[in-house]
């Protein structure tokens, strides 16, 4: 039974990652989407830096997972690459894709993220960029299901422990009541 779930999860993540290429995972385009979202555009002007993930694919059947690759910027300059992985346990079924950005309020927060291995606990929050309203939920992904999408996004948010996280749903459908955190790896640009 566990092997069957793992195979189904692997297939869901594969389908999400394949459909992500049809969304033209361009960093510039994703940054434009977040800037167009209203309040998050102020974060670009006032933050020390940010990490941007054009597409994170997520899927689950009992056990779930998510993965995405991104870039890290400091004072507007591209300084390195990052990847995000997530494992969730609990009631869940389906798959979805979303974009995510993490703003760093100051150098301390930036340095904490770029230590190489950074982790958001299951209690960490993200603001889902939605059409006309904002929502706060855990980084397990429930925040992404509330989003209105990349063409009609508006939001408001604030820093928590020096970081502010925003997400925009790209597609898919996922039902879940799960627990899990996000783990990030960082490598400096060569």
């Amino acid at each position: 039974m566990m092997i069957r779930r793992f195979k189904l999860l692997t297939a869901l993540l594969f389908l999400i990652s394949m459909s992500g290429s049809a969304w033209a995972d361009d960093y510039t385009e994703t940054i434009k989407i977040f800037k167009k979202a209203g309040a998050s555009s102020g974060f670009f002007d006032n933050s020390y830096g940010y990490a941007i993930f054009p597409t994170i694919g997520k899927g689950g059947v009992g056990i779930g997972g998510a993965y995405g690759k991104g870039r890290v910027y400091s004072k507007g300059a591209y300084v390195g690459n990052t990847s995000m992985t997530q494992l969730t346990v609990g009631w869940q079924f389906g798959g979805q894709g979303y974009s995510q950005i993490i703003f760093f309020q100051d150098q301390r927060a930036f340095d904490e993220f770029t230590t190489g291995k950074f982790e958001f606990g299951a209690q960490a929050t993200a603001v889902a960029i939605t059409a006309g309203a904002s929502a706060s939920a855990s980084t397990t992904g429930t925040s992404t299901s509330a989003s209105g999408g990349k063409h009609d996004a508006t939001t408001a948010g604030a820093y928590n422990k020096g970081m502010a996280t925003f997400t925009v749903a790209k597609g898919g459908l996922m039902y879940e009541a799960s627990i899990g955190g996000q783990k990030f790896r960082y490598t400096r640009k060569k």
Side-chain angles (χ1 to χ4, degrees), residues 34-35 38-47 103 159:
F34 281 102
K35 283 185 174 182
S40 66
S41 63
F43 283 88
F44 283 99
D45 299 332
N46 301 315
S47 67
F103 289 100
Y159 287 107

Side-chain angles (χ1 to χ4, degrees), residues 171-184:
L173 182 60
M174 184 138 186
Y175 299 99
E176 69 177 330
S178 59
I179 297 173
Q182 294 181 334
K183 294 182 182 184
F184 299 89

Side-chain angles (χ1 to χ4, degrees), residues 96-183:
Q96 66 184 169
Y98 60 97
S99 298
Q100 179 170 304
I101 191 165
I102 304 166
F103 289 100
F104 311 113
Q105 186 174 19
D106 50 30
Q107 185 173 355
R108 183 210 50 83
F110 177 84
D111 290 345
E112 184 179 352
F113 185 86
T114 58
T115 58
K117 295 180 182 178
F118 177 77
E119 188 173 326
F120 278 140
Q123 75 284 358
T125 60
V127 174
I129 296 179
T130 62
S134 65
S136 182
S138 72
T139 56
T140 59
T142 38
S143 60
T144 60
S145 62
S147 176
K150 66 182 186 178
H151 297 296
D152 54 2
T154 59
T155 190
Y159 287 107
N160 181 15
K161 297 182 181 179
M163 296 185 198
T165 304
F166 297 89
T167 62
V168 173
K170 297 181 91 171
L173 182 60
M174 184 138 186
Y175 299 99
E176 69 177 330
S178 59
I179 297 173
Q182 294 181 334
K183 294 182 182 184

Side-chain angles (χ1 to χ4, degrees), residues 5 60-64 88-94 178:
R5 283 186 182 174
V61 179
I63 297 173
T88 52
V89 178
W91 192 91
Q92 54 195 316
F93 180 78
S178 59

Side-chain angles (χ1 to χ4, degrees), residues 13 16-17 53 55-59 65-70 82-86 96 98 183:
L13 287 173
I16 290 169
S17 66
F53 297 87
T55 298
I56 294 176
K58 180 174 182 163
Y67 179 78
K69 290 184 179 183
T82 185
S83 63
M84 187 283 299
T85 56
Q86 179 179 348
Q96 66 184 169
Y98 60 97
K183 294 182 182 184

